[in-house]
Amino acid sequence: MLGLATGSTPVPFYQELIRLHREEGMSFARVITFNLDEYRGLDRAHPESYWSFMHRQLFDHIDVPAESIHLPLGIVDDVPAHCAAYEQAILAAGGIDFQLLGIGRTGHIGFNEPGSPRDSRTREIHLDPITRQDAAPAFGGIEQVPTTAITMGCGTILAARRIALLAFGSNKAAIVKEAIEGPVTDRVSASFLQDHPDAAFYLDAEAASLL
Ligand code: F6R
């Protein structure tokens, strides 16, 4: 069971999975996936929805069965019930074996912005202004970026048996340093990974330049 992330960071990882599938016969037929998050208010068909992103970048190119793919819904009436059902579906599928993460400049994992409790679960969250600013180019302006999202919580993520956080580029160097060398605090959700028994950061030289 795989926990998956969106954003620019995992794209090379997904390209390698596609290559392994096409060239080396790796099958995803028995894989179940749960994504971290989805923007609120976006229909699945919206080009910037994470549903669209994941299909474009990965699912359309491998043999994972459609019924094994899970992302929160961006448009849903009863948000708490939807979030509780997402948590329940993760448990029913056996829990997350391997969770892939990126990190936002706010230190978020998933969309767990500063102040997210360690034991938080899937819920609606207000996106930090920095996060919305980083998403603005893709949406053609900050006013088009949704203000909230549905995200797995820190507790949901920390329950994964194994966690890999990827970070690339100099704009991640300061927050990577805080997450790894700073105090474990809800001001930097990624710092909670310090206490996880099997979490690793995979960095390029720029992202690791302040360590
Ligand atoms: C994506 C997610 C976010 C991103 C983070 C980094 O599903 O939950 O935590 O991983 O915002 O985004 P990029 O990779 O675009 O720098």
Side-chain angles (χ1 to χ4, degrees):
M1 217 273 256
L2 292 180
L4 299 177
T6 54
S8 57
T9 306
V11 170
F13 180 82
Y14 295 152
Q15 284 170 351
E16 176 62 7
L17 293 185
I18 293 166
R19 190 195 67 77
L20 286 168
H21 174 64
R22 285 190 179 148
E23 294 176 18
E24 301 190 28
M26 183 186 274
S27 174
F28 297 82
R30 295 177 58 219
V31 168
I32 298 172
T33 70
F34 280 83
N35 264 80
L36 287 164
D37 39 25
E38 180 60 280
Y39 289 115
R40 269 223 85 194
L42 298 193
D43 186 67
R44 286 192 155 166
H46 190 289
E48 291 307 321
S49 77
Y50 283 162
W51 174 271
S52 295
F53 175 95
M54 285 306 302
H55 283 77
R56 237 178 6 249
Q57 298 292 343
L58 182 64
F59 299 145
D60 287 350
H61 312 287
I62 59 174
D63 61 343
V64 61
E67 62 274 17
S68 301
I69 293 169
H70 305 83
L71 283 90
L73 286 168
I75 297 181
V76 62
D77 287 335
D78 189 342
V79 173
H82 181 61
C83 293
Y86 202 68
E87 289 281 335
Q88 206 42 54
I90 292 172
L91 287 179
I96 298 170
D97 295 302
F98 179 87
Q99 176 67 56
L100 184 67
L101 297 175
I103 183 170
R105 288 194 299 137
T106 60
H108 69 212
I109 49 176
F111 273 141
N112 290 285
E113 300 290 20
S116 295
R118 181 199 288 259
D119 62 357
S120 50
R121 291 284 165 175
T122 303
R123 69 207 185 287
E124 182 170 13
I125 190 144
H126 272 92
L127 297 174
D128 190 278
I130 295 175
T131 300
R132 294 186 66 237
Q133 191 186 317
D134 285 348
F139 280 88
I142 194 160
E143 58 290 339
Q144 320 287 342
V145 181
T147 54
T148 66
I150 292 179
T151 183
M152 282 188 200
C154 294
T156 323
I157 293 168
L158 292 168
R161 288 180 266 279
R162 188 171 165 210
I163 301 178
L165 185 149
L166 312 183
F168 307 133
S170 55
N171 66 333
K172 299 288 175 73
I175 196 65
V176 161
K177 181 182 173 64
E178 272 196 70
I180 295 176
E181 295 181 351
V184 176
T185 166
D186 68 9
R187 284 184 293 101
V188 179
S189 293
S191 69
F192 292 139
L193 299 173
Q194 291 180 28
D195 293 337
H196 189 278
D198 195 358
F201 280 57
Y202 296 87
L203 311 170
D204 67 3
E206 288 78 21
S209 60
L210 297 177
L211 297 175

